Amino acid sequence: MQSNDQIQLWNQAAVKILDVRRVVLEAGERIQAYYLPANSFMYSLRGNALVEMDGQKHVTKEFNLLHGTKGSRLDIEAKDEFEYIMLFYRAILAFPKPRYVWRLEQASVTPFALQYTFLPDKPLLLLRYLNEMEKAWIHASHLDQLQLKSLFYQFVYELMSQLAEQEIRTARPDPVKQVLQYIQAHYREHMTLDTLAHHFNYSSRHLSMQFKRKTGSSPIDYLIQLRLTEAKKLLGYSDTTLRDIAAEVGYSDVYYFSRLFKKHVGMPPIRYQQKVREQRIIEDRPLDVSELSIGSRRNQRYIDYDNHYQYVNGGSTRMKKRKASSSMIFIAILSLTMMLSACGAGSTAAPTASEATGSSSNTNTAASTTTDASAQTNQDNETRTISTVKGEVVVPANPKRVVVLYLQGDVVALGVKPIGTSEVFDGAAYKGELDGVNSLGSWFEPNAEAVIDLDPDLIIVPSEATYTLLKDIAPTIYIPYEKMTTEERLRDIANIFGKEQEAEKLIVELNSKVEAGKKKLADAGILDKTVSIVEGGLKEMSVAESKQYGRGSQVIYEYLGMKAPKAVQQKIDTVTAAAGSTVSMEVLPEYLGEYVFRSVYEGADDLSDNPVWSSVPAVKEGRLIEIDFDFFYYSDVYSINKQLDYVVEHLLDTVKTK
């Protein structure tokens, strides 16, 4: 970019100084993998150092000036005592732009997004401005801040003059290379496409498109593969528990990690670990091959314990690969969406919802806090106006292309088959109803690009974060499910589709089934027995202590009205959110009732030989009922109907088998 063009764009810039700091490194001291939080000038004062910016190495000595952009990786190795000043700033083209400035923006990039280094002809003049800016920054009064900005413009004026005289070449950093370096250094940390884009000062869609064009995958797909590669190494060469390995590669939920690993690798992590170790034994002891030629040994599966909630503020940020489309209409829609995003969309904060146990709340929150009980229909335009917590939303009167996240069970129960939905566990009650439906990633961090590909006419989301992410794609309804009862949520969703009568029928049928189930259990002498719900393994167990815990707690404690042991029931009666206690196996019997439901999953510990577990009366006397984690994860009306059948049937079976 020509210096004259840079000067013209600087004239249109609004600038904020973020920090001015002086740093001294001892000989041999290093700063590694420091990612610039903002655009910056680095001005060396004395000493020598090897400075690397995004892989470009510079032998830096006295009075070298280096300009870096937000997100650039900075590495410094001091050869001797090295002192420098860092000036961080933010600049945007915020003022009305003459036509020639607009053309410059389209043809190139702003000077704030360029990297360069040079040795000034008049270094002391630049140093004088930097020293004065440092003093003004330290005092930090309003008047000093005004002086600081004035000094910055003088510094930039002198800098541009000297750059022009030396005809210094400037270069735009490669965003894909920056992101690759950042992911490789920070893959253990919570990361989403939006946080990456914000860190590097790009729009999410632009960054994803550039990354995919150069690497063939999206940033999040690359992150997943990197994490799984590291997990394979740990599984093959360490005895660390699966729970610790998951945490080491960035997943706080071991169950989610296990599912992700199986999907991408083709087998559960524990089976992979066994296979790798068996292969090593064969390589070390080739004579043992003859043993394996007769028949492979069956290895016991094991998975370390975790509560398995879908933690929102950490762990995986899954994203499917975007599907290719040859439609010119889609290209136009995508371009328009990108323009809207660049103009107005902010970064999406990580969801703050509590653990996604899949249960609905039994609070007294009125349904009026979400969609209004009535919807206005405009027959001329075939639209309906829905009142929501985000204001009024105009939706199609008869939506044909519906995308729904997490709440798909209620939508399916109402007779609506979506075209896209968040990932559904294999054992979910309504899994078969969604055959052929596009999967859009995890419910709390869906693949926005995949949603755009589907060209939906209605989107239903369960969180503030997903609403912010998708609201510019199509009419979007936010349902705060965790604050609503099952009936309230179902009625609100039915209102969106004009299926209020269908919802009332479903509610009546569910209540009738509940009463019939209670009568059967009462006649069998079971309804008044104490019930516990647990999940875990050999070392410890988690005990459900609320109706919102999931794992059947809503069906058992809320709908059927069964009770837990006294100490647990006291908490169930007072807690209005998902809650449970983790206890050691030694004290577990104190928390167990006359009937025990244990949530299990692929690879769960075999407790049949555990003396404490085997001594529990419910286990010894055949009143232990195992429930599938996937099946009991969800709390929609479709799932609750099926869970109710399962619970009642298996409770009655304990009497029949006596």
Side-chain angles (χ1 to χ4, degrees):
M1 189 175 186
Q2 299 298 317
S3 59
N4 285 337
D5 296 340
Q6 292 190 41
I7 293 169
Q8 289 174 357
L9 292 174
W10 271 114
N11 280 330
Q12 301 298 319
V15 175
K16 181 177 179 61
I17 309 302
L18 302 176
D19 193 11
V20 183
R21 66 179 69 166
R22 186 181 297 259
V23 182
V24 179
L25 299 180
E26 300 295 331
E29 191 174 354
R30 294 184 178 184
I31 293 178
Q32 292 182 304
Y34 175 70
Y35 290 85
L36 298 179
N39 298 333
S40 67
F41 290 103
M42 175 181 173
Y43 196 61
S44 58
L45 304 180
R46 60 187 176 88
N48 296 279
L50 178 62
V51 178
E52 188 172 340
M53 180 77 73
D54 285 340
Q56 294 294 321
K57 296 182 179 180
H58 309 280
V59 178
T60 303
K61 55 184 179 180
E62 186 180 42
F63 300 139
N64 264 119
L65 185 138
L66 176 68
H67 182 262
T69 61
K70 180 180 179 180
S72 296
R73 171 172 170 161
L74 180 66
D75 295 272
I76 304 174
E77 180 182 354
K79 298 302 182 182
D80 47 29
E81 190 172 71
F82 181 58
E83 182 178 2
Y84 60 95
I85 291 178
M86 291 290 291
L87 178 119
F88 295 95
Y89 73 95
R90 181 170 64 242
I92 57 173
L93 298 175
F95 302 111
K97 304 162 190 172
R99 183 170 298 178
Y100 70 85
V101 174
W102 183 86
R103 286 200 301 269
L104 286 174
E105 278 191 83
Q106 308 311 306
S108 189
V109 293
T110 65
F112 335 125
L114 298 172
Q115 289 182 359
Y116 50 87
T117 182
F118 81 113
L119 187 64
D121 291 330
K122 303 173 185 177
L124 295 181
L125 188 54
L126 290 176
L127 178 59
R128 186 182 74 188
Y129 291 129
L130 286 169
N131 284 334
E132 291 180 5
M133 280 190 278
E134 182 184 21
K135 292 177 184 177
W137 177 258
I138 293 172
H139 290 91
S141 68
H142 293 302
L143 190 59
D144 291 322
Q145 291 175 6
L146 183 60
Q147 182 192 21
L148 182 62
K149 187 171 292 188
S150 172
L151 290 166
F152 180 81
Y153 281 113
Q154 294 178 65
F155 172 81
V156 170
Y157 169 80
E158 183 60 34
L159 175 65
M160 290 294 104
S161 299
Q162 297 195 41
L163 280 173
E165 289 176 4
Q166 296 190 35
E167 298 182 351
I168 298 298
R169 292 186 59 187
T170 57
R172 185 179 186 179
D174 182 350
V176 175
K177 185 177 180 180
Q178 287 180 316
V179 173
L180 282 169
Q181 290 177 335
Y182 185 84
I183 292 176
Q184 290 163 4
H186 297 271
Y187 68 88
R188 297 178 181 86
E189 302 171 9
H190 174 60
M191 199 179 299
T192 68
L193 178 61
D194 283 319
T195 57
L196 278 172
H198 179 70
H199 185 82
F200 290 97
N201 210 25
Y202 294 101
S203 72
S204 299
R205 291 182 179 87
H206 175 74
L207 177 60
S208 184
M209 290 174 65
Q210 292 292 324
F211 195 95
K212 189 171 184 179
R213 184 177 298 131
K214 289 194 175 184
T215 67
S217 66
S218 72
I220 302 306
D221 285 329
Y222 178 82
L223 172 65
I224 290 173
Q225 293 304 323
L226 178 60
R227 285 173 165 174
L228 294 182
T229 297
E230 295 301 317
K232 288 179 185 178
K233 295 177 184 177
L234 292 172
L235 286 166
Y237 296 98
S238 77
D239 293 323
T240 309
T241 64
L242 190 63
R243 183 178 183 177
D244 290 339
I245 289 175
E248 175 62 20
V249 298
Y251 296 105
S252 57
D253 184 343
V254 67
Y255 183 74
Y256 183 76
F257 165 72
S258 297
R259 294 180 60 85
L260 192 68
F261 190 97
K262 181 179 178 181
K263 179 172 184 177
H264 286 270
V265 180
M267 64 183 74
I270 297 305
R271 178 66 191 124
Y272 175 85
Q273 185 179 59
Q274 293 169 345
K275 182 178 179 180
V276 171
R277 294 184 178 183
E278 287 173 0
Q279 185 63 36
R280 289 216 314 270
I281 292 173
I282 293 172
E283 292 171 354
D284 293 340
R285 296 186 297 169
L287 292 179
D288 286 349
V289 173
S290 58
E291 175 192 347
L292 296 178
S293 66
I294 299 173
S296 61
R297 292 185 297 266
R298 184 176 180 180
N299 295 283
Q300 182 182 4
R301 295 183 177 182
Y302 172 80
I303 185 170
D304 197 18
Y305 168 69
D306 197 291
N307 283 344
H308 306 320
Y309 301 139
Q310 293 300 313
Y311 291 112
V312 177
N313 290 323
S316 169
T317 56
R318 194 166 183 168
M319 182 170 289
K320 299 285 187 185
K321 289 187 177 180
R322 180 178 171 183
K323 296 181 179 177
S325 173
S326 60
S327 170
M328 294 302 296
I329 295 176
F330 164 71
I331 294 173
I333 292 172
L334 178 59
S335 300
L336 178 60
T337 305
M338 289 175 61
M339 291 173 62
L340 291 172
S341 175
C343 293
S347 62
T348 304
T352 57
S354 60
E355 298 151 325
T357 57
S359 59
S360 63
S361 172
N362 193 30
T363 61
N364 295 322
T365 306
S368 59
T369 61
T370 56
T371 54
D372 192 77
S374 63
Q376 301 173 354
T377 303
N378 185 329
Q379 297 293 344
D380 294 335
N381 297 325
E382 296 184 342
T383 60
R384 294 160 53 82
T385 302
I386 307 295
S387 179
T388 77
V389 291
K390 294 297 183 181
E392 292 189 342
V393 179
V394 178
V395 304
N398 296 293
K400 304 296 184 184
R401 302 183 61 79
V402 179
V403 165
V404 58
L405 308 182
Y406 184 67
L407 306 169
Q408 54 268 78
D410 290 321
V411 171
V412 167
L414 291 167
V416 177
K417 186 170 184 177
I419 62 168
T421 185
S422 51
E423 292 174 345
V424 178
F425 292 159
D426 291 337
Y430 52 82
K431 177 71 173 181
E433 304 291 338
L434 297 175
D435 287 344
V437 175
N438 293 279
S439 180
L440 303 172
S442 62
W443 71 266
F444 51 86
E445 286 173 351
N447 185 341
E449 291 179 346
V451 176
I452 294 172
D453 276 349
L454 294 176
D455 189 22
D457 56 12
L458 176 66
I459 303 173
I460 301 174
V461 297
S463 70
E464 291 267 4
T466 49
Y467 173 82
T468 302
L469 179 65
L470 304 179
K471 65 182 177 63
D472 293 326
I473 298 175
T476 303
I477 303 292
Y478 164 39
I479 303 290
Y481 75 95
E482 74 279 6
K483 300 178 182 178
M484 309 169 72
T485 64
T486 300
E487 290 79 6
E488 288 171 347
R489 185 183 66 242
L490 180 64
R491 288 186 175 110
D492 274 10
I493 294 175
N495 185 49
I496 299 171
F497 297 100
K499 291 180 174 287
E500 292 86 351
Q501 292 183 353
E502 289 88 338
E504 294 306 318
K505 182 180 178 182
L506 288 169
I507 291 171
V508 169
E509 290 175 350
L510 176 60
N511 289 334
S512 297
K513 180 180 284 190
V514 168
E515 293 305 315
K518 291 169 72 172
K519 184 177 186 305
K520 291 178 182 179
L521 295 177
D523 292 345
I526 297 174
L527 190 62
D528 60 348
K529 303 299 183 181
T530 56
V531 180
S532 297
I533 303 172
V534 299
E535 182 179 75
L538 292 167
K539 298 178 182 179
E540 55 188 10
M541 283 277 189
S542 185
V543 181
E545 294 180 331
S546 76
K547 299 173 184 177
Q548 294 77 39
Y549 184 83
R551 322 305 194 269
S553 62
Q554 189 176 8
V555 168
I556 294 169
Y557 296 137
E558 181 178 338
Y559 283 99
L560 293 176
M562 299 184 76
K563 303 296 183 182
K566 185 175 180 180
V568 177
Q569 188 62 40
Q570 289 176 347
K571 295 182 180 179
I572 292 175
D573 291 337
T574 57
V575 174
T576 59
S581 292
T582 300
V583 299
S584 66
M585 185 63 73
E586 288 72 22
V587 300
L588 179 65
E590 301 173 17
Y591 293 81
L592 300 183
E594 296 163 280
Y595 286 80
V596 175
F597 286 83
R598 182 195 176 200
S599 172
V600 294
Y601 38 85
E602 184 178 13
D605 288 348
D606 180 3
L607 302 179
S608 58
D609 294 331
N610 183 276
V612 175
W613 180 254
S614 300
S615 66
V616 171
V619 176
K620 288 194 301 183
E621 298 168 15
R623 296 191 302 276
L624 167 67
I625 300 171
E626 291 190 340
I627 56 177
D628 180 67
F629 175 90
D630 289 7
F631 186 74
F632 279 85
Y633 178 82
Y634 300 95
S635 67
D636 55 87
V637 69
Y638 191 110
S639 297
I640 287 177
N641 258 290
K642 301 297 184 181
Q643 292 167 9
L644 183 63
D645 291 339
Y646 185 96
V647 168
V648 172
E649 177 186 344
H650 283 74
L651 282 172
L652 293 174
D653 283 346
T654 63
V655 177
K656 296 176 185 177
T657 56
K658 287 184 178 180

